[in-house]
Amino acid sequence: MMNVEKLREIVGNDWVITKREQMERYLVDETAPGVRPKPADNVVVVKPANTSEIARILKLANIDKTPVFVRGGGTGLCGGAVPTLDGIVLSMERLDKIEEVDKDNLMIVAEAGVTLESMLKAVEEAGLFFPPHPGDEGAQVGGLVACNAGGTRAVKYGVIRNYVKGLEAVLPTGEIINLGGKLLKNNQGLDLMHLLIHSEGILGVITKVILRLYPRVASSGTLVISYDNRHDAIDSVPKILQSGVIPLAIEYVERDEIETSARYLNMKWPATKGKAYLMVILTGANDDEVYSQGEQVSDICEQCNAVDILIAETGEEQSRILKMRSELYSSMKEQYADILDVTVPPASVGVFMDRVDEIAKRFNTNIPNYGHAADGNLHSHLLADLQDKGIVRQVKREIYQEALKLGGVITGEHGIGVIRIPDLDLCPDGKMWELMRGIKRLFDPNNILNPGVGLLG
Amino acid sequence: MMNVEKLREIVGNDWVITKREQMERYLVDETAPGVRPKPADNVVVVKPANTSEIARILKLANIDKTPVFVRGGGTGLCGGAVPTLDGIVLSMERLDKIEEVDKDNLMIVAEAGVTLESMLKAVEEAGLFFPPHPGDEGAQVGGLVACNAGGTRAVKYGVIRNYVKGLEAVLPTGEIINLGGKLLKNNQGLDLMHLLIHSEGILGVITKVILRLYPRVASSGTLVISYDNRHDAIDSVPKILQSGVIPLAIEYVERDEIETSARYLNMKWPATKGKAYLMVILTGANDDEVYSQGEQVSDICEQCNAVDILIAETGEEQSRILKMRSELYSSMKEQYADILDVTVPPASVGVFMDRVDEIAKRFNTNIPNYGHAADGNLHSHLLADLQDKGIVRQVKREIYQEALKLGGVITGEHGIGVIRIPDLDLCPDGKMWELMRGIKRLFDPNNILNPGVGLLG
C-alpha cells in the first residue's frame, strides 16, 4: 500500500497532507450531496510541482498498486474526483503556469492546473477570445479536457474537444507522452489525444494542454426572450438555427430557477414577463452584424409567441446575465436530490420535456429543466422530496429510458463519474463497454488511476 | 485461407469478382505511382449490400484469418486501400443510400458508400450546406471519416472529425456497434467514435455515418490575391486570422501548378499578375457582410505587398476557382515521384517553406509547394527526377525532419496508409505506437483488417 515517505521524497514534505482535518476540501466535489459518493478513510493528498514528479508518483503507485485519484478544480458533477478507495489524491493545483499565449498561432499552452478563470484572464489580456464557458471558473483546464466540458456557448464552435490541439499526459505506468501540438490538422496514427479527451482521468493524468483561441469578437449582444409557454421557447430553437444565424449560445431557463440564481448572486433577472426564457448570445464582426442577427432572431421568436424580448448590449449587462445562468447549478444544489444531464437530438428537446412532465405527474412531483437547448442537453432537477420517498433512482431511470428511446445519451457533458455507473445497464451495447474496459487495461494494467470512475463499475 | 464459395453465399454470385482482369480498378488508389504499393496476387473483390452481410464476411474472415482491405472511393493518397496481401477487397460501393437529410436536427444519415458528390447534391437539394471540401468528390463518406479528411475549407469549422456525430461500424470480429447519434454533446464513456475517426480502416468497417450540416450560407465570395513573393503571401495569413475574419478557406498555390491544373480542366486561371496566390473563401449572412470581410482582407493583403486582388462573386466563378484548386493533385500526379502532407504550426509555414527551399537547393531540384496555408498543411511535391536519381526517400526524410523540428507531423490529412510506415521511425515516441498497436490487437485480435496499413509497419 501507500508509501508516504517516498511521496514526501518526491514532492517535498510541505506538499503531502496526511491529516484528515486538513484535507476535507479534497474529499468532495460539486456533485449534489444526495448522490455524492463517500470518500474512503485512508487518503493522502499529494501536490506535485510538475510533470516529472507526477511521473515518479505514478511509477511508485503502479508498483504498490495504490489507487490514485486525480483532482483538478473539484468542480465535477458526478463524483469523479472523490477518492472512493484508500489511496492518493493527486492535486494538480501547483501546475498553474500559463506557458504561452501564442498570438500568431492563436493557441494557449497551459499547465493542467491553470483555472478557467486565470486562463480566460490571460486570453483577454492578449486581446484574444476563448469561446466556451463550461460554468464554474474554478475548474482547471486539465479537468476541462479530461471531462470534455461543454456548457453554454458550444453552439457556434462546439465543446472543449474541438479546441484541444495538443496534450502532455503521464500514463498510469509513469511514461510521459506528448500528443498533437500547435496543429490544426494531424492524422499521424490513431488519435490517442481524442481518446484522452473525456477519459475522466482513467487513462492518464493530463499535465499540459494546448488549446485553440480565436480573435476577440468585435461585437456581441445577449437577447433574453420571454415566453408564457415553454414549448414556444423550445420550438423557436431549430428555427433560429435553420435561419443561418449561428449564435454562440442558446440557453433555456425557467423563471423559478433563474430567479433563485439571481437572488443567490444578489442580482436581478431582467425579464418581468413570461415564465420560460431563451438566452441567446450573438457575436459578429461589428455592431451592425449583431444588430441584424438580433432582428432576425427577434422576428423568429415573435412568430413563436414570445411575449417580450430584451437586448443586453454592454459587456457588463451581458456578463451579469451569463453569470446568473452559470451559477444556476450552484444556487440550487442544496435543494435537489440529483441533477441530470441527458442529451437528445436537438429537435427532440420539446418531446423529451413533455415526457419528463408526464413522469413528474405520475410521481406527484415537479421536475424543473434548464439547459443548452440548441445542443439538446437538458439538466432535469430531481427535488429533495423524491429522496425522502426513496424513489430518486426510479424516477431517474425512467427519464434516462425516455432519453435513450429518443436516440439520446444519459450524459452529454457531465460524464459518468461514479454516480452514473449503476445506470449504465440501460445502455446495453456490451461490446462497446468491453472495448472500453480493454483500453483501460491497456493503459492502466494495474487499475490504479481513478479506479471505480467512468466505465469500470 | 479465403473461402470464395462462402463469400458467394453471403453476397450472391454477382457480387464476387475473382478474375484479375475485372478487378484492376480495385487494386490501386490515387497514390503517386512512384510510391504506390504493389497489390498482391490472389485477391477477391466482394461487394456486400448491407451491414449484416459485412458482419458475416468479417466473421468468416476472422475465423479463416483472411486479410480484408476496405475500399471506399479509392481516392486515398497513401496506399491504404491497396490489397498488399492475398485476401479480400471489401468494396463499400453498394452501401450507397442516403437514409435521411434531417433538416430539424441539421444532420445527414448516409451509408458509408455514398460519394461526396451525391452527399453534397442531397444536402444542397435540402437547402443546406456541408462546409468541408476534401478534394476528389468520388470519395465516399465512410472513407472521409475513416481517414478524417481535411482539405480546403477546414479553416472555419475544422476537419471532418468535427462534423461526425454518429457512426455504425462492424468490428473485425463481426459485431456491429453504434456510436454517438444525432447528438451535439455526448460524454457517455470513452469516445470510441473519435477513435474510429482516422483509424484508416484498421479498427472496424464504418458502415453508416451521421454528419452535421449547416444552413446554406446566404452569401459567399472568393478572393484570388496575387503576390510576386511567396513569403508575402504566407505572411498575410496570420494577419487575416488575427483580424477577426474567419474565412471558410485560405489556400496557397503557385502559378506553375495552378496553371497546370487549369489546363488539365480546360479552364483558365483568372490571375494574370504575380506568381504566388492566396485563395480566400469568405461566407456571410448577406452580401454586405461578405463585402466588408473582403475589404478587410484586401487591406491586410495590400499591406503585405499583394500586387493584385480579384473577387469572384458568382457561384459559377467561385466553383471554377475551387475546382482548379481541388484538381491540382490529379493534374500533376503523373509528373511527381511523391507528394507530401506535412503539417506545422500555422505561423511556421513561411519558415518551413524556406527550409524546403534550402533542401531543394542542396539536392539541385525544385520542390513546389501548395496547400492549406491557414491550417499549416503543405503539400510539397518531389519531382520525378529525384526518383531517377534514387533519392526520393532521402529528400523526403529531410523534409519530414524539418517539419518535426518545428513541432509538426509528417501527415496532416492524407494519413499514414502504407507509404508512410517506413518513416515513422522519425516520430520516436515508442510508448505511443505501443498503445496504438495494443488498441489494434484489442479490436482485431487476428489482425485481419487492413493489415500493414497505418501503424502496423
Side-chain angles (χ1 to χ4, degrees):
Chain A
M1 269 302 290
M2 264 176 293
N3 191 324
V4 178
E5 273 326 296
K6 280 203 183 144
L7 291 173
R8 288 192 210 276
E9 271 170 38
I10 295 169
V11 298
N13 239 330
D14 293 350
W15 305 110
V16 176
I17 307 179
T18 52
K19 295 212 177 80
R20 191 74 171 188
E21 63 273 20
Q22 289 170 2
M23 65 171 75
E24 289 302 329
R25 69 183 192 87
Y26 294 93
L27 304 176
V28 296
D29 66 2
E30 293 292 327
T31 307
V35 287
R36 190 194 295 153
K38 273 173 73 102
D41 289 331
N42 295 306
V43 170
V44 177
V45 177
V46 181
K47 303 182 183 182
N50 53 47
T51 303
S52 71
E53 287 184 5
I54 293 172
R56 289 171 63 198
I57 294 166
L58 290 186
K59 270 185 191 138
L60 180 66
N62 191 45
I63 292 167
D64 296 348
K65 299 197 171 52
T66 305
V68 177
F69 297 87
V70 193
R71 184 180 184 83
T75 60
L77 299 171
C78 47
V82 178
T84 48
L85 297 170
D86 292 348
I88 297 168
V89 168
L90 187 76
S91 173
M92 303 299 288
E93 66 199 274
R94 291 174 68 209
L95 282 87
D96 62 353
K97 279 165 280 304
I98 292 172
E99 291 194 356
E100 188 189 7
V101 179
D102 178 343
K103 289 189 190 190
D104 286 335
N105 284 307
L106 295 171
M107 304 256 181
I108 186 168
V109 184
E111 290 185 338
V114 169
T115 62
L116 178 59
E117 188 180 10
S118 318
M119 187 189 81
L120 292 176
K121 193 156 158 273
V123 168
E124 196 172 315
E125 278 168 11
L128 295 171
F129 180 50
F130 183 69
H133 194 277
D136 191 329
E137 292 186 2
Q140 294 176 1
V141 296
L144 294 181
V145 174
C147 299
N148 187 27
T152 58
R153 311 211 298 203
V155 184
K156 196 164 190 166
Y157 304 106
V159 296
I160 292 288
R161 180 181 297 282
N162 287 14
Y163 296 84
V164 183
K165 300 303 162 193
L167 289 183
E168 178 192 75
V170 183
L171 297 171
T173 40
E175 297 93 341
I176 299 166
I177 57 170
N178 277 280
L179 302 165
K182 291 180 182 171
L183 299 170
L184 296 175
K185 285 179 173 169
N186 178 1
N187 276 348
Q188 196 168 279
L190 296 178
D191 206 318
L192 300 181
M193 186 180 84
H194 276 281
L195 191 59
L196 279 178
I197 300 170
H198 196 256
S199 58
E200 298 195 42
I202 69 168
L203 300 185
V205 179
I206 293 168
T207 48
K208 195 189 289 185
V209 305
I210 302 177
L211 297 172
R212 179 161 196 201
L213 303 176
Y214 284 83
R216 189 182 282 174
V217 289
S219 177
S220 71
T222 299
L223 304 184
V224 174
I225 305 149
S226 312
Y227 298 83
D228 285 332
N229 181 318
R230 69 149 69 138
H231 292 286
D232 288 333
I234 294 298
D235 290 347
S236 311
V237 177
K239 296 198 173 81
I240 294 169
L241 293 173
Q242 286 158 7
S243 76
V245 176
I246 308 183
L248 197 59
I250 305 183
E251 289 294 301
Y252 174 79
V253 295
E254 297 185 352
R255 174 178 289 282
D256 285 352
E257 291 76 41
I258 197 73
E259 287 192 337
T260 302
S261 177
R263 273 195 304 275
Y264 173 79
L265 294 164
N266 278 317
M267 289 179 175
K268 195 173 160 10
W269 179 242
T272 53
K273 294 187 192 166
K275 54 188 188 184
Y277 305 95
L278 290 185
M279 179 188 124
V280 178
I281 306 180
L282 300 168
T283 56
N286 51 53
D287 292 349
D288 285 352
E289 260 185 55
V290 172
Y291 183 82
S292 113
Q293 290 178 34
E295 288 282 287
Q296 244 181 297
V297 171
S298 298
D299 287 352
I300 291 166
C301 295
E302 274 165 12
Q303 281 163 30
C304 292
N305 307 317
V307 294
D308 196 18
I309 298 175
L310 306 172
I311 304 178
E313 283 166 353
T314 70
E316 206 197 328
E317 275 178 291
Q318 293 191 63
S319 11
R320 236 184 348 245
I321 292 169
L322 180 61
K323 184 84 180 160
M324 286 182 260
R325 168 60 190 88
S326 293
E327 297 286 328
L328 255 180
Y329 176 77
S330 311
S331 71
M332 303 199 294
K333 198 172 59 188
E334 302 299 326
Q335 312 168 35
Y336 290 93
D338 201 354
I339 294 176
L340 312 188
D341 178 45
V342 306
T343 301
V344 294
S348 303
V349 167
V351 180
F352 174 71
M353 286 172 79
D354 281 347
R355 298 200 181 157
V356 173
D357 275 357
E358 285 160 25
I359 294 170
K361 211 174 214 172
R362 201 145 29 79
F363 287 96
N364 200 19
T365 182
N366 175 36
I367 304 179
N369 285 294
Y370 65 83
H372 316 298
D375 306 322
N377 181 203
L378 261 281
H379 300 307
S380 307
H381 282 52
L382 304 186
L383 287 165
D385 70 326
L386 298 177
Q387 193 150 12
D388 304 338
K389 294 183 207 157
I391 53 171
V392 172
R393 181 136 190 256
Q394 191 181 347
V395 174
K396 175 161 59 179
R397 284 172 73 87
E398 295 214 9
I399 294 175
Y400 284 171
Q401 277 164 319
E402 292 302 334
L404 294 164
K405 271 189 230 160
L406 292 167
V409 284
I410 69 171
T411 175
E413 58 179 21
H414 295 171
I416 294 173
V418 171
I419 67 169
R420 288 195 178 83
I421 290 174
D423 299 310
L424 292 180
D425 61 306
L426 298 173
C427 320
D429 190 337
K431 185 65 192 179
M432 232 173 60
W433 297 107
E434 184 190 317
L435 289 170
M436 291 186 206
R437 290 194 188 94
I439 291 170
K440 167 66 170 169
R441 275 192 302 273
L442 181 69
F443 279 71
D444 186 6
N446 290 329
N447 191 25
I448 62 159
L449 207 54
N450 283 28
V453 171
L455 48 108
L456 294 165
Chain B
M1 270 300 290
M2 262 176 295
N3 191 324
V4 177
E5 273 324 297
K6 282 206 182 144
L7 291 173
R8 288 192 209 276
E9 270 171 38
I10 295 170
V11 298
N13 241 329
D14 293 350
W15 305 109
V16 177
I17 307 179
T18 53
K19 295 211 176 82
R20 191 77 172 187
E21 63 273 20
Q22 291 170 2
M23 65 171 72
E24 288 303 329
R25 68 182 193 87
Y26 294 93
L27 304 176
V28 296
D29 66 2
E30 293 292 327
T31 308
V35 287
R36 190 195 295 152
K38 272 173 72 104
D41 290 331
N42 295 306
V43 171
V44 177
V45 177
V46 180
K47 303 182 183 181
N50 53 46
T51 304
S52 70
E53 288 184 5
I54 293 171
R56 290 171 64 197
I57 295 166
L58 291 186
K59 270 186 190 138
L60 181 66
N62 191 44
I63 291 167
D64 297 347
K65 298 199 169 54
T66 305
V68 176
F69 297 87
V70 193
R71 183 178 184 84
T75 59
L77 299 171
C78 48
V82 177
T84 47
L85 296 170
D86 292 348
I88 297 167
V89 168
L90 187 75
S91 173
M92 303 300 287
E93 66 199 275
R94 290 175 70 210
L95 283 87
D96 61 353
K97 279 165 279 305
I98 292 173
E99 292 194 356
E100 188 190 6
V101 180
D102 178 344
K103 290 191 191 190
D104 287 334
N105 283 306
L106 295 170
M107 305 255 179
I108 186 168
V109 184
E111 290 186 337
V114 169
T115 62
L116 178 59
E117 188 181 12
S118 318
M119 187 189 79
L120 292 176
K121 194 157 157 273
V123 168
E124 195 172 314
E125 279 168 10
L128 295 171
F129 180 50
F130 183 69
H133 194 276
D136 191 329
E137 293 186 2
Q140 294 176 1
V141 296
L144 294 181
V145 174
C147 300
N148 188 27
T152 59
R153 311 210 300 199
V155 185
K156 196 164 189 166
Y157 304 107
V159 296
I160 292 289
R161 180 182 296 282
N162 287 15
Y163 296 85
V164 183
K165 299 303 161 193
L167 288 182
E168 177 192 76
V170 183
L171 297 171
T173 39
E175 297 93 341
I176 299 165
I177 57 171
N178 278 281
L179 303 165
K182 292 179 181 171
L183 299 171
L184 296 175
K185 286 180 173 170
N186 179 2
N187 276 348
Q188 196 168 279
L190 295 178
D191 207 319
L192 300 182
M193 186 181 84
H194 276 281
L195 190 60
L196 279 178
I197 300 170
H198 195 257
S199 58
E200 298 195 42
I202 69 168
L203 300 184
V205 179
I206 292 168
T207 48
K208 196 188 289 184
V209 305
I210 302 176
L211 298 171
R212 180 165 195 196
L213 303 175
Y214 283 82
R216 188 183 281 173
V217 290
S219 178
S220 72
T222 299
L223 304 184
V224 174
I225 305 149
S226 311
Y227 298 83
D228 285 332
N229 180 318
R230 69 149 70 139
H231 291 285
D232 289 333
I234 294 298
D235 290 347
S236 312
V237 178
K239 296 198 173 80
I240 294 170
L241 293 173
Q242 286 158 8
S243 76
V245 175
I246 308 182
L248 197 59
I250 305 182
E251 289 294 301
Y252 174 79
V253 294
E254 296 185 352
R255 175 178 288 281
D256 285 352
E257 291 77 41
I258 197 73
E259 287 191 337
T260 302
S261 177
R263 275 194 304 275
Y264 172 80
L265 293 165
N266 278 316
M267 290 178 175
K268 195 174 160 10
W269 179 241
T272 53
K273 295 186 193 167
K275 54 187 190 186
Y277 304 95
L278 290 184
M279 179 188 124
V280 178
I281 306 180
L282 300 168
T283 56
N286 51 54
D287 291 349
D288 285 352
E289 259 185 55
V290 172
Y291 183 80
S292 112
Q293 290 178 34
E295 288 282 287
Q296 242 181 299
V297 171
S298 299
D299 287 352
I300 292 165
C301 295
E302 274 165 13
Q303 281 163 31
C304 293
N305 307 318
V307 293
D308 197 18
I309 298 175
L310 305 172
I311 304 178
E313 283 165 354
T314 70
E316 206 197 328
E317 277 178 291
Q318 293 190 65
S319 6
R320 241 189 340 253
I321 291 169
L322 180 61
K323 185 83 180 162
M324 285 183 260
R325 167 61 192 86
S326 293
E327 298 285 328
L328 255 180
Y329 175 78
S330 310
S331 71
M332 304 200 291
K333 198 173 58 187
E334 303 299 327
Q335 312 168 35
Y336 290 93
D338 202 353
I339 295 177
L340 311 188
D341 177 44
V342 306
T343 302
V344 294
S348 304
V349 167
V351 180
F352 174 71
M353 287 172 79
D354 281 347
R355 299 202 179 154
V356 173
D357 275 358
E358 286 159 25
I359 293 170
K361 212 173 214 170
R362 200 143 33 78
F363 286 96
N364 199 20
T365 182
N366 175 36
I367 304 179
N369 286 294
Y370 65 83
H372 317 299
D375 307 323
N377 181 203
L378 262 281
H379 300 305
S380 307
H381 283 53
L382 304 186
L383 287 166
D385 70 326
L386 298 176
Q387 193 151 12
D388 303 339
K389 294 183 207 155
I391 53 171
V392 172
R393 180 133 192 259
Q394 189 182 349
V395 174
K396 175 161 61 179
R397 284 173 73 86
E398 294 214 9
I399 294 175
Y400 283 171
Q401 276 162 321
E402 293 302 335
L404 294 165
K405 272 189 229 160
L406 292 167
V409 284
I410 70 171
T411 175
E413 57 179 23
H414 294 170
I416 294 173
V418 171
I419 67 169
R420 289 195 176 84
I421 291 174
D423 299 310
L424 292 181
D425 62 307
L426 298 173
C427 321
D429 189 337
K431 184 66 193 180
M432 232 173 58
W433 298 108
E434 185 190 316
L435 288 171
M436 291 186 207
R437 289 194 188 94
I439 291 170
K440 167 66 170 170
R441 274 192 303 274
L442 181 70
F443 279 72
D444 186 5
N446 290 328
N447 192 25
I448 62 159
L449 207 53
N450 284 26
V453 171
L455 48 110
L456 295 165

